[in-house]
Amino acid sequence: MKNRMARFLLLFVFLGPVSVLAEETVKPAAEVAPSGSGFTSLASDDFDRIVAGIEQLGASKHPRALVVLEGLEAGKLVFDSSGTLFLEVEGGTVNAETGEAATPREKPRDVGVNNRVRRTLAPLISELRLRAPDLAVRRTAAEETSKHPREEMRGALLDARKQESDDDVAELLDLALARLDLASTDKARRLAGLAVIDDQAELSFKGDLEG
């Protein structure tokens, strides 16, 4: 009896932690996001799925997220019966996810766009442009955003500012954030925004004098 109890305790000691570790590290299949889920959701004429696909793709950091969402905005995104998503380009179509030349099985269907889709697209495209690898794209996006910043973009602007290495773009992002702060009901934010705008105005004035 004592020997059986000892063996049981040994098994508990050695096997118990293994079971716990497995439970902590292995996620149920339902919790694991499928690869390319944003592209899959976009290959649809159901607006709920399309909006979900836009949001998934916008958050995915996929290198083709911006070009695909811009293609949707321009009405150049189509899909076939296999659920494959294609982007119409000059001279034909490419696989939206890979960018490689590809042809739909049959005449493709347009990915639908309505006002809800447009409202979801616009801020995500702006955010992706602010993080684009191309400096010219980031500069243009920062210029546009600095003129008419929206409070819901504050988080994206702060993230972009932390990552920005170009001084001119960083200054435009600071201006956008300052304008948001000036419109805030929070006194500390308004003062901080005013300080940034004063600093930028002073630097500009000094530059004009030196020029």
Side-chain angles (χ1 to χ4, degrees), residues 113-151:
V113 177
N114 62 4
N115 288 337
R116 182 183 169 207
V117 168
R118 293 187 187 93
R119 286 194 299 268
T120 307
L121 266 177
L124 281 177
I125 288 176
S126 296
E127 292 175 18
L128 289 172
R129 285 172 177 165
L130 289 173
R131 303 199 307 263
D134 190 317
L135 175 59
V137 172
R138 295 201 311 277
R139 183 181 292 117
T140 299
E143 286 174 352
E144 293 175 355
T145 305
S146 68
K147 296 173 185 174
H148 305 288
R150 300 187 302 276
E151 183 63 31

Side-chain angles (χ1 to χ4, degrees), residues 18-168:
V18 174
S19 299
V20 172
L21 180 62
E23 288 176 2
E24 291 178 348
T25 58
V26 179
K27 292 184 177 181
E31 294 183 16
V32 180
S35 175
S37 57
F39 295 95
T40 303
S41 297
L42 283 174
S44 172
D45 49 15
D46 179 279
F47 290 122
D48 287 338
R49 285 195 62 188
I50 293 168
V51 167
I54 292 168
E55 292 171 343
Q56 290 167 354
L57 196 54
S60 69
K61 297 184 179 180
H62 193 285
R64 287 187 56 78
L66 178 56
V67 69
V68 170
L69 294 183
E70 286 178 332
L72 175 57
E73 186 179 48
K76 295 182 178 180
L77 217 54
V78 298
F79 65 100
D80 65 9
S81 59
S82 71
T84 303
L85 194 65
F86 300 88
L87 179 64
E88 294 177 337
V89 297
E90 187 176 351
T93 54
V94 298
N95 182 296
E97 186 170 2
T98 66
E100 298 176 354
T103 304
R105 292 181 176 180
E106 67 284 315
K107 184 178 179 180
R109 297 158 63 185
D110 294 335
V111 176
V113 177
N114 62 4
N115 288 337
R116 182 183 169 207
V117 168
R118 293 187 187 93
R119 286 194 299 268
T120 307
L121 266 177
L124 281 177
I125 288 176
S126 296
E127 292 175 18
L128 289 172
R129 285 172 177 165
L130 289 173
R131 303 199 307 263
D134 190 317
L135 175 59
V137 172
R138 295 201 311 277
R139 183 181 292 117
T140 299
E143 286 174 352
E144 293 175 355
T145 305
S146 68
K147 296 173 185 174
H148 305 288
R150 300 187 302 276
E151 183 63 31
E152 60 266 28
M153 283 192 66
R154 179 176 172 79
L157 286 167
L158 287 169
D159 290 342
R161 179 62 181 87
K162 290 176 185 176
Q163 299 172 20
E164 186 52 62
S165 57
D166 181 81
D167 290 341
D168 291 338

